[in-house]
């Protein structure tokens, strides 16, 4: 599988697995775990989750799914904005680690911009790196202005900006993606196939036909 290079030169799969809405229905637990394991077998070893998903239930499911294969996975989780200050971020991260049954996260993201000063969040993230709890940190749902403020706050070590981006949500192309490219920060797209709701566009179908693939 094609890889993307993190700012610290770590290669990660270009295609990963999201886990939103997983772990919320006990009837689907076995099926969801099997799907995650199949994805790992197919090379989709980047897996993204968040403390918000299922109020922790998704991390619990993922911790079960990763039993015996954690060392094969680039594991990403996200912290609530209200938990992003020094002290709270350490407790939130530790709770995620316990649910995920791991001793570290490969990437920890601020889920969206909140009221906690960015300088305080950065300090908390860097403290987690020094403690060995996370390998790198980044942000999610930050726009161009947010990223400018992050850099001014001392956020040069930001490893990614996770954003909504697909064929129907392309606003990031205007100024955010060029900004990220200039700073050599990879963009991580969530909902890249619109959660299965891609439009039935003749243009999209034609591109898919030309490449002998499905529109998705």
């Amino acid at each position: 599988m094609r890889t993307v290079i993190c700012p610290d030169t770590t290669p990660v799969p270009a295609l990963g697995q999201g886990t939103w809405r997983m772990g919320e229905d006990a009837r689907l637990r076995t099926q969801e775990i099997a799907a995650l394991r199949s994805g790992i077998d197919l090379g989709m070893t980047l897996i993204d989750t968040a403390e918000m998903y299922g109020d922790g239930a998704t991390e619990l499911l993922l911790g079960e799914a990763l039993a015996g294969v954690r060392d094969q996975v680039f594991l990403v989780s996200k912290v609530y904005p209200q938990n992003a200050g020094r002290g709270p971020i350490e407790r939130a991260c530790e709770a995620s680690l316990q649910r995920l049954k791991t001793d570290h996260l490969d990437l920890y993201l601020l889920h969206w911009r909140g009221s906690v000063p960015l300088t305080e969040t950065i300090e908390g993230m860097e403290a987690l790196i020094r403690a060995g709890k996370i390998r790198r940190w980044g942000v999610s749902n930050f726009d161009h202005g947010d990223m400018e403020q992050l850099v001014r706050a001392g956020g040069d070590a930001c490893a990614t900006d996770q954003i909504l981006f697909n064929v129907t949500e392309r606003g990031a192309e205007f100024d955010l993606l060029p900004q990220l490219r200039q700073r050599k920060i990879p963009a991580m797209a969530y909902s890249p196939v619109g959660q299965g709701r891609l439009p039935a566009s003749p243009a999209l179908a034609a591109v898919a036909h030309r490449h002998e693939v499905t529109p998705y």
Side-chain angles (χ1 to χ4, degrees):
M1 182 178 291
R2 185 170 64 87
T3 59
V4 174
I5 304 300
C6 289
D8 64 1
T9 73
T10 301
V12 297
L15 182 63
Q17 300 186 76
T19 59
W20 184 56
R21 303 303 297 272
M22 285 187 170
E24 298 181 14
D25 187 339
R27 296 169 298 180
L28 300 176
R29 193 172 195 83
T30 300
Q31 180 181 341
E32 289 171 343
I33 289 173
L36 289 164
R37 298 288 290 233
S38 294
I40 294 170
D41 291 341
L42 291 169
M44 293 188 292
T45 53
L46 185 151
I47 302 181
D48 174 83
T49 190
E51 66 172 344
M52 183 189 80
Y53 297 171
D55 197 23
T58 304
E59 288 182 327
L60 286 170
L61 173 90
L62 187 51
E64 185 177 340
L66 294 180
V69 295
R70 168 65 184 94
D71 60 350
Q72 301 176 33
V73 169
F74 188 94
L75 184 57
V76 185
S77 192
K78 299 183 283 292
V79 61
Y80 270 123
Q82 62 266 32
N83 291 339
R86 283 298 301 269
I89 198 172
E90 295 165 10
R91 293 189 290 274
C93 182
E94 186 60 40
S96 286
L97 293 176
Q98 291 181 12
R99 289 189 290 266
L100 291 162
K101 296 183 174 64
T102 186
D103 62 355
H104 75 279
L105 294 169
D106 297 289
L107 177 62
Y108 199 32
L109 306 178
L110 174 62
H111 206 150
W112 64 87
R113 182 75 183 271
S115 60
V116 174
L118 290 174
T119 52
E120 189 174 338
T121 298
I122 293 168
E123 289 171 2
M125 292 289 194
E126 294 294 342
L128 288 170
I129 289 177
R130 291 193 296 272
K133 300 295 179 68
I134 66 175
R135 296 288 188 258
R136 52 193 68 77
W137 65 267
V139 295
S140 180
N141 297 300
F142 270 42
D143 61 19
H144 182 276
D146 292 329
M147 291 302 297
E148 285 189 337
Q149 292 179 42
L150 182 72
V151 171
R152 287 199 296 270
D156 291 326
C158 178
T160 193
D161 185 9
Q162 186 184 100
I163 57 173
L164 175 62
F165 186 58
N166 56 52
V167 296
T168 62
E169 299 286 347
R170 299 173 60 180
E173 294 176 354
F174 178 67
D175 57 3
L176 179 59
L177 291 182
Q179 177 194 41
L180 295 176
R181 280 195 296 269
Q182 182 180 14
R183 295 194 175 277
K184 296 181 171 57
I185 298 174
M188 181 186 294
Y190 68 82
S191 298
V193 294
Q195 299 173 18
R197 295 189 294 270
L198 284 181
S201 162
L204 192 60
V207 172
H209 179 74
R210 191 162 67 246
H211 289 277
E212 298 182 343
V213 296
T214 69
Y216 292 101

